[in-house]
Amino acid sequence: MNEDFVTTADGTRIFYKDWGPRDAQPIVFHHGWPLSADDWDNQTMFFLLEGYRIIAHDRRGHGRSTQTFVGNEMDTYAADVAALTDHLDLKGAIHVGHSTGGGEVARYVARARPGRVAKAVLVGAVPPIMVKSDDNPGGLPIEVFDGFRAALVANRAQFFLDVPSGPFYGFNRPGVKVDQGVIWNWWRQGMMGGAKAHYDCIKAFSETDFSEDLKAIAVPTLVMHGEDDQIVPIADSALLAIKLLRHGTLKTYPGLPHGMATTHAETINADLLAFFRE
């Protein structure tokens, strides 16, 4: 097992975990905002025990990576992933992205060099585009994301408690058992990152248009989405993304929240494994 950093062209240090047999098929996990590679702990351990090689990185400005002032946008995020996959010389990798990480996967996979990527998975992912516009009338109003920015500037620590305590994991739904450890772990990961990078990333995940990236992806792609996702509503994300993918498969989950890979890890892991083995 190895944990290390790769240094990108602009001097940013990207933290990554590289666990498991070097000759096994690699799975690269891309986390959501404002979290870190640790958000994939349930999947990391499951697939490590299934014999896969596991790579999970902290996006720039997040977790243990450099708290960058610039470059907190999707083109640079994808370039950072390319730097990591080149550094590790990954071939035939499966890239799995949650939420913002799903956007990162879409942009990277669409541009990846031949042979680098075998399959892709988008879990509760932001593509094609989140923000409402004349071209995307079903999106969320810009005021929603302005509210995120205002809350982050006013009191990031409280904001990073409110999100996981409520809509992220569906803990605001009647009858749902609240897992305090999951809430605090979300808070812990969020507070490790940089406020400026997190602020910039709100624009990156909400206003980036991934439509052309989705059209360009040539590998089999699984789109997984909770039907009760309150953060990235399914109607304007997965249900549109699947129409743009050449080799896409859509799997939706009644009643499951945005953070379903944590709250319902057994279900999600089983479906991921089935897709990996196809």
Side-chain angles (χ1 to χ4, degrees), residues 46-274:
F46 179 86
F47 288 103
L48 188 66
L49 296 174
E50 288 290 335
Y52 288 89
R53 179 181 179 184
I54 306 301
I55 294 96
H57 67 291
D58 291 354
R59 185 175 303 114
R60 66 167 55 213
H62 296 63
R64 289 142 291 203
S65 293
T66 304
Q67 293 194 10
T68 43
F69 183 76
V70 296
N72 305 304
E73 35 74 26
M74 280 295 164
D75 285 346
T76 304
Y77 295 159
D80 291 345
V81 175
L84 174 60
T85 56
D86 287 350
H87 174 69
L88 298 176
D89 194 25
L90 300 182
K91 296 181 175 69
I94 302 168
H95 285 261
V96 182
H98 174 241
S99 196
T100 301
E104 183 177 273
V105 166
R107 183 133 301 180
Y108 166 74
V109 171
R111 302 176 178 188
R113 288 197 282 128
R116 288 289 186 209
V117 181
K119 293 181 178 180
V121 184
L122 307 179
V123 184
V126 298
I129 183 171
M130 288 192 73
V131 73
K132 183 177 182 178
S133 67
D134 291 342
D135 294 329
N136 187 43
L140 295 172
I142 189 68
E143 289 78 12
V144 171
F145 305 108
D146 288 341
F148 287 178
R149 282 182 278 263
L152 187 150
V153 170
N155 189 339
R156 185 168 66 128
Q158 185 60 50
F159 182 41
F160 284 4
L161 278 179
D162 293 341
V163 174
S165 297
F168 197 94
Y169 295 110
F171 291 155
N172 56 343
R173 295 306 197 202
V176 172
K177 181 180 180 296
V178 175
D179 189 327
Q180 196 63 47
V182 166
I183 294 169
W184 281 114
N185 191 41
W186 200 101
W187 184 89
R188 175 190 68 85
Q189 292 177 71
M191 295 306 293
M192 287 171 65
K196 172 61 164 58
H198 287 166
Y199 184 94
D200 291 349
C201 190
I202 295 170
K203 179 180 178 68
F205 74 64
S206 63
E207 297 183 41
T208 303
D209 189 341
F210 298 98
S211 298
E212 295 305 314
D213 300 297
L214 295 171
K215 294 175 187 177
I217 294 174
V219 299
T221 304
L222 175 63
V223 179
M224 311 170 80
H225 217 103
E227 293 181 14
D228 191 36
D229 191 323
Q230 300 172 67
I231 303 295
V232 182
I234 189 172
D236 199 57
S237 53
L239 300 188
L240 299 181
I242 193 64
K243 298 176 183 178
L244 301 175
L245 289 162
R246 285 186 267 168
H247 306 289
T249 300
L250 175 65
K251 190 167 184 61
T252 68
Y253 299 84
L256 294 201
H258 188 60
M260 64 184 183
T262 296
T263 59
H264 296 78
E266 291 184 3
T267 298
I268 301 307
N269 290 350
D271 288 346
L272 285 172
L273 183 62

